[in-house]
Amino acid sequence: MTSDAAVDERTLDRLLRRVTKPARYVGGEWNSVTKEFCDVDVRVALSYPDSYEIGVSNQGLQILYSLLNARPDALCERVYAPWPDMERELRAAGMPLFSLEGKRPLNAFDLVGFSLGYETVYTNVLTMLDLGRVPLRSCNRDEDNPIVVAGGHSAYNPEPMSPFIDAFCIGEGEEAIGELVDCVKEHKARAGAYRRADLLKAIGEIPGWYVPSHYQADYHPDGTLNCLSGGRAPVRKRFVADLKPEFYPERPVVPSMRPVHARAQIEIVRGCTRGCRFCQAGMVTRPVRERSPEEIKRLAAIAMKNTGYNELSLLSLSSSDHSEIDRVVQSAANEYCAEGVSVALPSLRIESFSVGLADAIKEGKRSGFTFAPEAATERLRRVINKVIPDDRLLETADAVYQRGWRTIKLYFMIGLPTESDDDVVAICDLAKRVLQIGRKYHGRAAAVNVGVSTFVPKAHTPFQWAAQESRETVERHQAILRKESRVPGFKISWNDYDNSEIEAVLSRGDRRIANVIERAWLLGARFDGWREWFRYDLWKQAMAEEGLDTEWYCRRARGEHEVLPWDHIHAGVSKSFLWQEWQKSLDAGMSDDCRYGKCLRCGTDPRACGDAHRIRKTVRIELKQQRQVASS
C-alpha cells in the first residue's frame, strides 16, 4: 500500500468552505467507529458511489460496516462519491478522495469495496478510484494498490464493470466479507512472499467470489457472446441461511445531515417467491427468510435507543408478506406510536395488505400509502405474473382513505412486453377510480400520485430475453398518459426515455461496454442517476466512438440458446426455469407463489427452503383464519 497519512486538515477546511453541503465530507457522526490504522491487520474502505445523503442510510453498507469493525483485526471506514463541486475542488487542490473516519486516501487501504445497487453509479466508481489514486483498471494495479471489490444487485451482471473490479461478491455479503478479510490477512502475513496474482487466485476460490481477470470473453461474428472461459463456472451466489442477530447493525451510523431516509430500519424478511417476471430483486434474493416477531421487537428497541429517530421502518421487498405481519406491526405500534414515533411499511402489496395494518399504524405520520400494481389490466398483470383484481385495489383504497390518509401513491410501468395502448389508458382510468373514492371521504383534499417508469429488462429474470420497447412507442404512451391525467388531484410523473435506454445498455451489457463506461466518464459523465447531471449525449458519443450500437443492446430480443453475458453467474434460479416463465408470459400464463402451493423447482437449493416451508404452513393457517373471520 502507499502512504497511509491523512489529508491535511487545514487544506481540507479551506476546501470545504467552497462546496455545497460540506457536512457530506466531515465525518464524526453518531455511532461512527474510529480505530488506529496501525493497530489492525486489514483495512477496508467501504465505498458508496452516490452522494452521502443517499448512501449513508444504505442498510447493506451499515451491516458490513458493523461486522467489519466488530473484528479486532480489521477496521472499516466509509467513502461516498463527492458531488461535482467537491470533485473540482479536490482536483484543483491536488488532494485525494479520503475516508470519513480517518481522512485517509483510498489507496491507503488493503480493500476498497463498492456497493453497486444500480447501474447508473458506474461512472461514479471511476471518479472515486481516480480521485483515490487507484488505477482504474485491474490490469494496471500492482502490489502497492488495494484490492478493489464490489457487490450488490448490479453485480449479478458483473461484465460491464469487470475490467475495473478485481473481484465481485455474488449474492449476500455478511459471511463472504469475513472470508475475504481472512484471505487478505493470511496473504499479508507472508510478507515478502506476497503476490497480487496469488491473492486474486485465492479470492477466486472463495465460494461466491468472481475474479473477472481469470476469464476471457470470445464473441461470434454477429457480436453475440460465444463463451466466457478460463475460470470455474458457474459462480454460485452466496446467501445466509438465517438472518442472525449479528447481521443487524445495533449501532447504525446516524448522519450529520438529513439523509434521504431519516429512520431506523429493521429488515424483517429477505427474499420473495411472488415470481413477478420483471423483478430482479425477487428472483435473486430467494429463498425467503424471516425474523421472528420477538427478534424484530428486540432489534427495534435497540435501534430506537441508539439512533433517536422518530420513524421505524420495517424493511422487505414486501413488508406485508411477513407471515406474522399483523403481530409485528401491532407490537411496534403499541410500543412507539403513542410516543410520536411513526411505523412505516415502505413496501406493501395490495393483495396482502390488511385493514388491520392500517388500523395499527394510523396514529403515526400519514405521509401517504404507496402501492405498486405495475400494470392496470388483468391481461398485462398475467403477463408479468402479478395479478391484483381491480376490486381488491379499490377496496384497499377505500380502507386507507376511510382511516384518514388523503394521498395514495400508485406505481406502474410502461414498455412491458406485449403492452398495448389500451393497457396505458387503463392506468389513468384506474387512478381516477381511486381518486373518486378518496373524494368520497376528503373532497378535493384527496389526491392520487402516479409514478410511471419505463421497463428495463434485467439479467436473471424471465424478461432477460425481451427487447426493450422503442422510443417512439414509449413516448407515444407517455403522451397518452399526459392527455388522460388532466384531472384536479391527479398528479402523474414518468422518467425520461434516455435514462432507460442507457440503463438497458448497462444492465444487459457485456465486457465491451466497459470501454463505453470509461469513455463516457472521460467525456464528463457523472451522477447518471440524477436528472440534473445525466448527459445522454455523452453516452451516445461514447457508444459511437467505441463502435457499439445502442439499438443492438436494447431493442434486440435474445434467443433461447444465446449465451448471455451473465450465464456464468448462478443467481439461485436456473436459466431453464426463467425461460419457462418467459414462454408463459407470452401466453399470459400464471405461476403460483410457492408459499401457497407446490414447489416450482426454480433452481434454488432445496436445502435453503426450510424457512420457506415453515412460512408456507403459517400462511395457510392465517389464510384459513382470515376466511373464517370474513364468513362470520
Side-chain angles (χ1 to χ4, degrees), residues 167-215:
F168 289 89
C169 178
I170 307 301
E172 298 166 3
E174 287 96 337
E175 295 169 344
I177 192 68
E179 294 169 19
L180 175 66
V181 169
D182 290 339
C183 183
V184 172
K185 179 180 176 180
E186 177 188 340
H187 278 257
K188 283 187 69 177
R190 296 178 183 176
Y194 166 73
R195 290 180 63 248
R196 185 181 183 87
D198 292 338
L199 178 54
L200 289 177
K201 183 175 184 297
I203 292 173
E205 293 170 355
I206 303 173
W209 285 96
Y210 166 60
V211 178
S213 60
H214 295 165
Y215 300 74

Tab-separated table of all heavy atoms in Angstrom, residues 167-215:
chain	number	residue	atom	x	y	z
A	167	ALA	N	-12.525	-8.234	-7.928
A	167	ALA	CA	-13.351	-9.390	-7.542
A	167	ALA	C	-14.750	-8.909	-7.184
A	167	ALA	O	-14.905	-7.868	-6.525
A	167	ALA	CB	-12.732	-10.131	-6.359
A	168	PHE	N	-15.737	-9.653	-7.623
A	168	PHE	CA	-17.136	-9.374	-7.305
A	168	PHE	C	-17.644	-10.386	-6.297
A	168	PHE	O	-17.396	-11.597	-6.439
A	168	PHE	CB	-18.015	-9.466	-8.552
A	168	PHE	CG	-17.844	-8.363	-9.543
A	168	PHE	CD1	-16.887	-8.471	-10.551
A	168	PHE	CD2	-18.622	-7.222	-9.487
A	168	PHE	CE1	-16.732	-7.463	-11.489
A	168	PHE	CE2	-18.479	-6.211	-10.420
A	168	PHE	CZ	-17.528	-6.328	-11.424
A	169	CYS	N	-18.389	-9.906	-5.303
A	169	CYS	CA	-19.133	-10.804	-4.427
A	169	CYS	C	-20.511	-11.008	-5.038
A	169	CYS	O	-21.273	-10.049	-5.198
A	169	CYS	CB	-19.262	-10.213	-3.021
A	169	CYS	SG	-20.235	-11.244	-1.893
A	170	ILE	N	-20.820	-12.230	-5.400
A	170	ILE	CA	-22.115	-12.543	-5.986
A	170	ILE	C	-23.045	-12.985	-4.857
A	170	ILE	O	-22.834	-14.031	-4.234
A	170	ILE	CB	-21.999	-13.662	-7.045
A	170	ILE	CG1	-20.927	-13.301	-8.089
A	170	ILE	CG2	-23.352	-13.902	-7.706
A	170	ILE	CD1	-21.172	-12.012	-8.845
A	171	GLY	N	-24.066	-12.186	-4.591
A	171	GLY	CA	-25.028	-12.540	-3.558
A	171	GLY	C	-24.831	-11.747	-2.281
A	171	GLY	O	-24.403	-10.585	-2.297
A	172	GLU	N	-25.114	-12.380	-1.167
A	172	GLU	CA	-25.157	-11.712	0.136
A	172	GLU	C	-23.792	-11.728	0.804
A	172	GLU	O	-23.098	-12.754	0.799
A	172	GLU	CB	-26.222	-12.382	1.001
A	172	GLU	CG	-27.601	-12.256	0.385
A	172	GLU	CD	-28.661	-13.154	0.996
A	172	GLU	OE1	-28.352	-13.871	1.959
A	172	GLU	OE2	-29.809	-13.136	0.492
A	173	GLY	N	-23.421	-10.611	1.410
A	173	GLY	CA	-22.046	-10.432	1.824
A	173	GLY	C	-21.727	-10.639	3.280
A	173	GLY	O	-20.558	-10.561	3.668
A	174	GLU	N	-22.711	-10.922	4.133
A	174	GLU	CA	-22.443	-10.969	5.568
A	174	GLU	C	-21.357	-11.964	5.951
A	174	GLU	O	-20.515	-11.673	6.810
A	174	GLU	CB	-23.731	-11.296	6.343
A	174	GLU	CG	-24.728	-10.162	6.410
A	174	GLU	CD	-25.793	-10.250	5.339
A	174	GLU	OE1	-25.532	-10.905	4.304
A	174	GLU	OE2	-26.872	-9.673	5.531
A	175	GLU	N	-21.384	-13.116	5.343
A	175	GLU	CA	-20.367	-14.131	5.631
A	175	GLU	C	-19.204	-14.048	4.649
A	175	GLU	O	-18.041	-14.264	5.022
A	175	GLU	CB	-20.991	-15.528	5.610
A	175	GLU	CG	-22.027	-15.728	6.710
A	175	GLU	CD	-22.848	-17.000	6.552
A	175	GLU	OE1	-22.847	-17.584	5.446
A	175	GLU	OE2	-23.504	-17.398	7.529
A	176	ALA	N	-19.498	-13.701	3.407
A	176	ALA	CA	-18.462	-13.664	2.370
A	176	ALA	C	-17.413	-12.592	2.659
A	176	ALA	O	-16.227	-12.778	2.354
A	176	ALA	CB	-19.102	-13.419	1.005
A	177	ILE	N	-17.817	-11.461	3.248
A	177	ILE	CA	-16.845	-10.392	3.507
A	177	ILE	C	-15.837	-10.820	4.563
A	177	ILE	O	-14.657	-10.482	4.487
A	177	ILE	CB	-17.573	-9.086	3.918
A	177	ILE	CG1	-16.605	-7.898	3.905
A	177	ILE	CG2	-18.225	-9.225	5.285
A	177	ILE	CD1	-16.129	-7.507	2.542
A	178	GLY	N	-16.294	-11.582	5.566
A	178	GLY	CA	-15.374	-12.068	6.587
A	178	GLY	C	-14.347	-13.027	6.018
A	178	GLY	O	-13.160	-12.995	6.392
A	179	GLU	N	-14.781	-13.889	5.106
A	179	GLU	CA	-13.864	-14.834	4.478
A	179	GLU	C	-12.847	-14.107	3.605
A	179	GLU	O	-11.682	-14.508	3.509
A	179	GLU	CB	-14.662	-15.858	3.671
A	179	GLU	CG	-15.534	-16.755	4.547
A	179	GLU	CD	-16.527	-17.578	3.745
A	179	GLU	OE1	-16.307	-17.731	2.525
A	179	GLU	OE2	-17.512	-18.075	4.332
A	180	LEU	N	-13.284	-13.024	2.965
A	180	LEU	CA	-12.366	-12.217	2.165
A	180	LEU	C	-11.297	-11.571	3.050
A	180	LEU	O	-10.105	-11.593	2.722
A	180	LEU	CB	-13.136	-11.145	1.406
A	180	LEU	CG	-12.283	-10.150	0.609
A	180	LEU	CD1	-11.565	-10.846	-0.536
A	180	LEU	CD2	-13.142	-8.994	0.085
A	181	VAL	N	-11.702	-11.007	4.172
A	181	VAL	CA	-10.756	-10.381	5.091
A	181	VAL	C	-9.762	-11.418	5.611
A	181	VAL	O	-8.551	-11.150	5.706
A	181	VAL	CB	-11.499	-9.687	6.251
A	181	VAL	CG1	-10.529	-9.270	7.354
A	181	VAL	CG2	-12.260	-8.466	5.740
A	182	ASP	N	-10.239	-12.602	5.940
A	182	ASP	CA	-9.340	-13.671	6.389
A	182	ASP	C	-8.300	-14.000	5.320
A	182	ASP	O	-7.116	-14.206	5.621
A	182	ASP	CB	-10.138	-14.934	6.724
A	182	ASP	CG	-10.994	-14.783	7.977
A	182	ASP	OD1	-10.689	-13.894	8.797
A	182	ASP	OD2	-11.970	-15.545	8.114
A	183	CYS	N	-8.747	-14.038	4.089
A	183	CYS	CA	-7.855	-14.367	2.973
A	183	CYS	C	-6.780	-13.292	2.806
A	183	CYS	O	-5.589	-13.596	2.642
A	183	CYS	CB	-8.671	-14.524	1.691
A	183	CYS	SG	-7.728	-15.008	0.239
A	184	VAL	N	-7.187	-12.027	2.860
A	184	VAL	CA	-6.227	-10.925	2.725
A	184	VAL	C	-5.240	-10.933	3.894
A	184	VAL	O	-4.029	-10.738	3.710
A	184	VAL	CB	-6.972	-9.579	2.643
A	184	VAL	CG1	-5.990	-8.407	2.701
A	184	VAL	CG2	-7.798	-9.504	1.364
A	185	LYS	N	-5.751	-11.156	5.096
A	185	LYS	CA	-4.889	-11.200	6.286
A	185	LYS	C	-3.829	-12.289	6.142
A	185	LYS	O	-2.637	-12.074	6.445
A	185	LYS	CB	-5.746	-11.447	7.526
A	185	LYS	CG	-4.961	-11.539	8.821
A	185	LYS	CD	-5.905	-11.793	9.999
A	185	LYS	CE	-5.139	-11.979	11.295
A	185	LYS	NZ	-6.057	-12.221	12.448
A	186	GLU	N	-4.230	-13.460	5.682
A	186	GLU	CA	-3.301	-14.575	5.517
A	186	GLU	C	-2.207	-14.225	4.524
A	186	GLU	O	-1.012	-14.498	4.746
A	186	GLU	CB	-4.061	-15.817	5.059
A	186	GLU	CG	-3.175	-17.017	4.776
A	186	GLU	CD	-3.940	-18.175	4.147
A	186	GLU	OE1	-5.180	-18.215	4.277
A	186	GLU	OE2	-3.274	-19.031	3.519
A	187	HIS	N	-2.581	-13.592	3.404
A	187	HIS	CA	-1.586	-13.288	2.382
A	187	HIS	C	-0.680	-12.142	2.801
A	187	HIS	O	0.506	-12.133	2.454
A	187	HIS	CB	-2.285	-12.986	1.050
A	187	HIS	CG	-2.652	-14.214	0.297
A	187	HIS	ND1	-1.941	-14.666	-0.778
A	187	HIS	CD2	-3.646	-15.114	0.495
A	187	HIS	CE1	-2.481	-15.790	-1.232
A	187	HIS	NE2	-3.528	-16.081	-0.476
A	188	LYS	N	-1.204	-11.183	3.553
A	188	LYS	CA	-0.338	-10.102	4.045
A	188	LYS	C	0.707	-10.651	5.014
A	188	LYS	O	1.831	-10.131	5.087
A	188	LYS	CB	-1.186	-9.033	4.742
A	188	LYS	CG	-1.935	-8.112	3.797
A	188	LYS	CD	-2.607	-6.986	4.567
A	188	LYS	CE	-1.589	-6.020	5.142
A	188	LYS	NZ	-2.217	-4.881	5.830
A	189	ALA	N	0.338	-11.681	5.750
A	189	ALA	CA	1.260	-12.248	6.738
A	189	ALA	C	2.471	-12.910	6.089
A	189	ALA	O	3.468	-13.195	6.755
A	189	ALA	CB	0.521	-13.249	7.625
A	190	ARG	N	2.407	-13.154	4.784
A	190	ARG	CA	3.513	-13.809	4.094
A	190	ARG	C	4.651	-12.846	3.762
A	190	ARG	O	5.665	-13.248	3.206
A	190	ARG	CB	3.015	-14.474	2.812
A	190	ARG	CG	2.020	-15.590	3.076
A	190	ARG	CD	1.522	-16.197	1.769
A	190	ARG	NE	0.510	-17.214	2.000
A	190	ARG	CZ	-0.142	-17.855	1.029
A	190	ARG	NH1	0.143	-17.573	-0.237
A	190	ARG	NH2	-1.058	-18.758	1.313
A	191	ALA	N	4.451	-11.579	4.067
A	191	ALA	CA	5.482	-10.551	3.888
A	191	ALA	C	6.032	-10.583	2.467
A	191	ALA	O	5.309	-10.354	1.505
A	191	ALA	CB	6.580	-10.710	4.926
A	192	GLY	N	7.322	-10.887	2.326
A	192	GLY	CA	7.977	-10.814	1.023
A	192	GLY	C	7.416	-11.778	0.007
A	192	GLY	O	7.627	-11.608	-1.192
A	193	ALA	N	6.705	-12.795	0.457
A	193	ALA	CA	6.150	-13.789	-0.466
A	193	ALA	C	4.828	-13.339	-1.081
A	193	ALA	O	4.281	-14.024	-1.942
A	193	ALA	CB	5.954	-15.117	0.259
A	194	TYR	N	4.325	-12.149	-0.631
A	194	TYR	CA	3.015	-11.693	-1.100
A	194	TYR	C	3.066	-11.332	-2.587
A	194	TYR	O	3.937	-10.570	-3.023
A	194	TYR	CB	2.562	-10.487	-0.273
A	194	TYR	CG	1.383	-9.742	-0.879
A	194	TYR	CD1	0.102	-10.281	-0.841
A	194	TYR	CD2	1.559	-8.513	-1.504
A	194	TYR	CE1	-0.972	-9.615	-1.392
A	194	TYR	CE2	0.499	-7.832	-2.055
A	194	TYR	CZ	-0.768	-8.387	-2.008
A	194	TYR	OH	-1.830	-7.733	-2.558
A	195	ARG	N	2.137	-11.875	-3.358
A	195	ARG	CA	1.977	-11.507	-4.759
A	195	ARG	C	0.504	-11.279	-5.028
A	195	ARG	O	-0.342	-12.061	-4.604
A	195	ARG	CB	2.512	-12.598	-5.687
A	195	ARG	CG	4.029	-12.740	-5.674
A	195	ARG	CD	4.494	-13.836	-6.621
A	195	ARG	NE	4.171	-13.539	-8.017
A	195	ARG	CZ	3.283	-14.203	-8.743
A	195	ARG	NH1	2.570	-15.186	-8.195
A	195	ARG	NH2	3.074	-13.887	-9.994
A	196	ARG	N	0.220	-10.196	-5.753
A	196	ARG	CA	-1.171	-9.842	-6.044
A	196	ARG	C	-1.877	-10.968	-6.799
A	196	ARG	O	-3.027	-11.292	-6.505
A	196	ARG	CB	-1.195	-8.544	-6.852
A	196	ARG	CG	-2.593	-8.003	-7.127
A	196	ARG	CD	-2.525	-6.726	-7.961
A	196	ARG	NE	-3.854	-6.190	-8.144
A	196	ARG	CZ	-4.450	-5.366	-7.296
A	196	ARG	NH1	-3.837	-5.015	-6.192
A	196	ARG	NH2	-5.672	-4.914	-7.526
A	197	ALA	N	-1.187	-11.567	-7.741
A	197	ALA	CA	-1.810	-12.638	-8.525
A	197	ALA	C	-2.188	-13.814	-7.645
A	197	ALA	O	-3.247	-14.440	-7.843
A	197	ALA	CB	-0.860	-13.085	-9.632
A	198	ASP	N	-1.341	-14.137	-6.667
A	198	ASP	CA	-1.657	-15.237	-5.758
A	198	ASP	C	-2.877	-14.918	-4.912
A	198	ASP	O	-3.726	-15.794	-4.663
A	198	ASP	CB	-0.462	-15.525	-4.841
A	198	ASP	CG	0.725	-16.087	-5.595
A	198	ASP	OD1	0.517	-16.630	-6.696
A	198	ASP	OD2	1.858	-15.970	-5.088
A	199	LEU	N	-2.972	-13.662	-4.463
A	199	LEU	CA	-4.121	-13.271	-3.649
A	199	LEU	C	-5.411	-13.339	-4.451
A	199	LEU	O	-6.430	-13.851	-3.970
A	199	LEU	CB	-3.907	-11.862	-3.089
A	199	LEU	CG	-5.054	-11.279	-2.256
A	199	LEU	CD1	-5.461	-12.218	-1.122
A	199	LEU	CD2	-4.664	-9.913	-1.700
A	200	LEU	N	-5.381	-12.865	-5.693
A	200	LEU	CA	-6.585	-12.922	-6.522
A	200	LEU	C	-6.983	-14.370	-6.815
A	200	LEU	O	-8.179	-14.689	-6.877
A	200	LEU	CB	-6.363	-12.156	-7.826
A	200	LEU	CG	-6.299	-10.630	-7.702
A	200	LEU	CD1	-5.998	-9.993	-9.055
A	200	LEU	CD2	-7.606	-10.077	-7.143
A	201	LYS	N	-5.979	-15.231	-6.982
A	201	LYS	CA	-6.289	-16.650	-7.193
A	201	LYS	C	-6.987	-17.222	-5.962
A	201	LYS	O	-7.973	-17.964	-6.075
A	201	LYS	CB	-5.010	-17.432	-7.484
A	201	LYS	CG	-5.227	-18.914	-7.784
A	201	LYS	CD	-3.920	-19.581	-8.169
A	201	LYS	CE	-4.143	-21.042	-8.566
A	201	LYS	NZ	-4.659	-21.861	-7.455
A	202	ALA	N	-6.509	-16.863	-4.775
A	202	ALA	CA	-7.122	-17.352	-3.540
A	202	ALA	C	-8.521	-16.802	-3.354
A	202	ALA	O	-9.429	-17.508	-2.917
A	202	ALA	CB	-6.231	-16.975	-2.353
A	203	ILE	N	-8.721	-15.532	-3.712
A	203	ILE	CA	-10.060	-14.935	-3.604
A	203	ILE	C	-11.028	-15.654	-4.536
A	203	ILE	O	-12.184	-15.921	-4.180
A	203	ILE	CB	-10.001	-13.430	-3.924
A	203	ILE	CG1	-9.225	-12.682	-2.833
A	203	ILE	CG2	-11.421	-12.845	-4.050
A	203	ILE	CD1	-8.959	-11.222	-3.145
A	204	GLY	N	-10.566	-15.990	-5.728
A	204	GLY	CA	-11.426	-16.684	-6.682
A	204	GLY	C	-11.842	-18.068	-6.234
A	204	GLY	O	-12.802	-18.643	-6.778
A	205	GLU	N	-11.150	-18.617	-5.246
A	205	GLU	CA	-11.506	-19.938	-4.720
A	205	GLU	C	-12.503	-19.860	-3.566
A	205	GLU	O	-13.026	-20.896	-3.129
A	205	GLU	CB	-10.233	-20.657	-4.272
A	205	GLU	CG	-9.314	-21.008	-5.446
A	205	GLU	CD	-7.949	-21.511	-4.997
A	205	GLU	OE1	-7.687	-21.486	-3.763
A	205	GLU	OE2	-7.148	-21.910	-5.861
A	206	ILE	N	-12.779	-18.654	-3.077
A	206	ILE	CA	-13.778	-18.493	-2.027
A	206	ILE	C	-15.169	-18.582	-2.670
A	206	ILE	O	-15.435	-17.902	-3.669
A	206	ILE	CB	-13.630	-17.131	-1.314
A	206	ILE	CG1	-12.233	-16.968	-0.729
A	206	ILE	CG2	-14.683	-16.984	-0.213
A	206	ILE	CD1	-11.977	-15.574	-0.163
A	207	PRO	N	-16.073	-19.411	-2.162
A	207	PRO	CA	-17.415	-19.510	-2.755
A	207	PRO	C	-18.086	-18.141	-2.878
A	207	PRO	O	-18.073	-17.346	-1.938
A	207	PRO	CB	-18.165	-20.415	-1.774
A	207	PRO	CG	-17.093	-21.239	-1.130
A	207	PRO	CD	-15.898	-20.335	-1.015
A	208	GLY	N	-18.646	-17.904	-4.064
A	208	GLY	CA	-19.383	-16.668	-4.289
A	208	GLY	C	-18.548	-15.507	-4.785
A	208	GLY	O	-19.098	-14.461	-5.135
A	209	TRP	N	-17.221	-15.660	-4.852
A	209	TRP	CA	-16.358	-14.578	-5.330
A	209	TRP	C	-15.945	-14.843	-6.768
A	209	TRP	O	-15.480	-15.928	-7.110
A	209	TRP	CB	-15.134	-14.423	-4.441
A	209	TRP	CG	-15.461	-13.759	-3.135
A	209	TRP	CD1	-15.730	-14.357	-1.945
A	209	TRP	CD2	-15.581	-12.349	-2.915
A	209	TRP	NE1	-16.015	-13.414	-0.989
A	209	TRP	CE2	-15.932	-12.172	-1.552
A	209	TRP	CE3	-15.437	-11.217	-3.719
A	209	TRP	CZ2	-16.131	-10.909	-0.988
A	209	TRP	CZ3	-15.635	-9.958	-3.166
A	209	TRP	CH2	-15.968	-9.811	-1.815
A	210	TYR	N	-16.139	-13.828	-7.621
A	210	TYR	CA	-15.858	-13.918	-9.054
A	210	TYR	C	-14.716	-12.956	-9.388
A	210	TYR	O	-14.811	-11.752	-9.128
A	210	TYR	CB	-17.120	-13.567	-9.847
A	210	TYR	CG	-16.895	-13.306	-11.318
A	210	TYR	CD1	-16.358	-14.290	-12.141
A	210	TYR	CD2	-17.237	-12.085	-11.896
A	210	TYR	CE1	-16.162	-14.059	-13.494
A	210	TYR	CE2	-17.053	-11.843	-13.248
A	210	TYR	CZ	-16.506	-12.827	-14.042
A	210	TYR	OH	-16.307	-12.610	-15.392
A	211	VAL	N	-13.635	-13.486	-9.941
A	211	VAL	CA	-12.472	-12.686	-10.321
A	211	VAL	C	-12.447	-12.587	-11.853
A	211	VAL	O	-12.069	-13.554	-12.540
A	211	VAL	CB	-11.175	-13.314	-9.786
A	211	VAL	CG1	-9.956	-12.495	-10.227
A	211	VAL	CG2	-11.217	-13.422	-8.266
A	212	PRO	N	-12.851	-11.470	-12.427
A	212	PRO	CA	-13.009	-11.376	-13.892
A	212	PRO	C	-11.737	-11.625	-14.676
A	212	PRO	O	-11.795	-12.147	-15.800
A	212	PRO	CB	-13.489	-9.928	-14.087
A	212	PRO	CG	-14.070	-9.523	-12.781
A	212	PRO	CD	-13.284	-10.245	-11.744
A	213	SER	N	-10.573	-11.262	-14.113
A	213	SER	CA	-9.322	-11.422	-14.866
A	213	SER	C	-8.990	-12.880	-15.137
A	213	SER	O	-8.121	-13.175	-15.967
A	213	SER	CB	-8.168	-10.754	-14.112
A	213	SER	OG	-7.994	-11.326	-12.822
A	214	HIS	N	-9.661	-13.799	-14.456
A	214	HIS	CA	-9.425	-15.231	-14.681
A	214	HIS	C	-10.243	-15.780	-15.849
A	214	HIS	O	-10.162	-16.973	-16.154
A	214	HIS	CB	-9.758	-16.030	-13.420
A	214	HIS	CG	-8.855	-15.711	-12.259
A	214	HIS	ND1	-9.141	-16.072	-10.960
A	214	HIS	CD2	-7.662	-15.059	-12.206
A	214	HIS	CE1	-8.169	-15.657	-10.160
A	214	HIS	NE2	-7.263	-15.049	-10.888
A	215	TYR	N	-11.026	-14.927	-16.496
A	215	TYR	CA	-11.925	-15.362	-17.577
A	215	TYR	C	-11.643	-14.541	-18.836
A	215	TYR	O	-11.320	-13.354	-18.761
A	215	TYR	CB	-13.395	-15.179	-17.177
A	215	TYR	CG	-13.819	-15.965	-15.952
A	215	TYR	CD1	-13.415	-15.573	-14.673
A	215	TYR	CD2	-14.630	-17.089	-16.065
A	215	TYR	CE1	-13.802	-16.286	-13.549
A	215	TYR	CE2	-15.026	-17.806	-14.941
A	215	TYR	CZ	-14.600	-17.389	-13.687
A	215	TYR	OH	-14.987	-18.099	-12.572
